[in-house]
Amino acid sequence: MMNHHLLTEALENLPNNSGSISVSAQIARHYEAIDNAMSMGVPQKEIIETLKKNGVPINEKSFPTTWARLKKRNTKSPPEKTSNPTFRTKPEEAEPTPEKQNETESKASPSTIDDIMKTAPDLNQLARLRKNRNDTTNRSS
């Protein structure tokens, strides 16, 4: 029978014991420290030398590409997962395009006009509704 605790511990220790971790993953482990050093003006050349001295086989040609990829990934990363379930919120509707607005306005009902009148009336919107209603009435006759 398998001991789940030992398996979990062995899997958690893999990153520390494995010699086959990619250079990118090794740099990603130290992302914050590298980012802080760079923001303080430490030259990339010094950062690369420090990485090399500490066992990360990176060179001056591949570091900028690797760093740009990691930086892009970190700026797009989603918020940390929580143990509570999250729910998607309904995205706010964008302002309708003129075509969509005309489509909506041409289907206006008396209740739409009542809704507009309950709030501060937009006289231009009321005029457009009236014009559209007249246009559709004249077309159908």
Side-chain angles (χ1 to χ4, degrees), residues 5 7 11 21 23 25 30 41 44-45 63 77 82 100 103 108 116 118 127-128 138 140:
H5 177 69
L7 175 59
L11 289 171
I21 295 174
V23 172
H30 306 287
Q44 278 190 8
K45 193 171 188 171
F63 179 79
S77 63
T82 60
K100 292 273 186 196
E103 219 175 82
I116 293 170
K118 287 178 188 172
R128 284 193 304 266
N138 291 340
S140 59

Side-chain angles (χ1 to χ4, degrees), residues 112-129:
T112 305
I113 295 171
D114 290 340
D115 289 342
I116 293 170
M117 293 304 291
K118 287 178 188 172
T119 61
D122 180 350
L123 297 178
N124 289 330
Q125 189 177 5
L126 282 171
R128 284 193 304 266
L129 284 171

Side-chain angles (χ1 to χ4, degrees), residues 38-128:
M38 291 180 93
S39 67
M40 295 174 131
V42 176
Q44 278 190 8
K45 193 171 188 171
E46 283 184 45
I47 293 170
I48 293 166
E49 288 305 313
T50 303
L51 289 167
K52 283 181 182 179
K53 285 177 189 174
N54 289 282
V56 180
I58 187 83
N59 63 46
E60 290 181 30
K61 286 185 178 183
S62 60
F63 179 79
T65 306
T66 302
W67 182 250
R69 198 170 52 250
L70 289 171
K71 195 157 182 80
K72 186 176 180 181
R73 187 182 309 154
N74 281 338
T75 57
K76 288 186 176 181
S77 63
E80 289 185 25
K81 292 185 177 182
T82 60
S83 58
N84 297 334
T86 56
F87 300 97
R88 290 185 184 182
T89 56
K90 185 176 180 182
E92 291 184 30
E93 291 185 20
E95 286 292 318
T97 60
E99 297 82 28
K100 292 273 186 196
Q101 194 168 6
N102 287 340
E103 219 175 82
T104 305
E105 289 173 353
S106 65
K107 297 177 184 174
S109 66
S111 65
T112 305
I113 295 171
D114 290 340
D115 289 342
I116 293 170
M117 293 304 291
K118 287 178 188 172
T119 61
D122 180 350
L123 297 178
N124 289 330
Q125 189 177 5
L126 282 171
R128 284 193 304 266

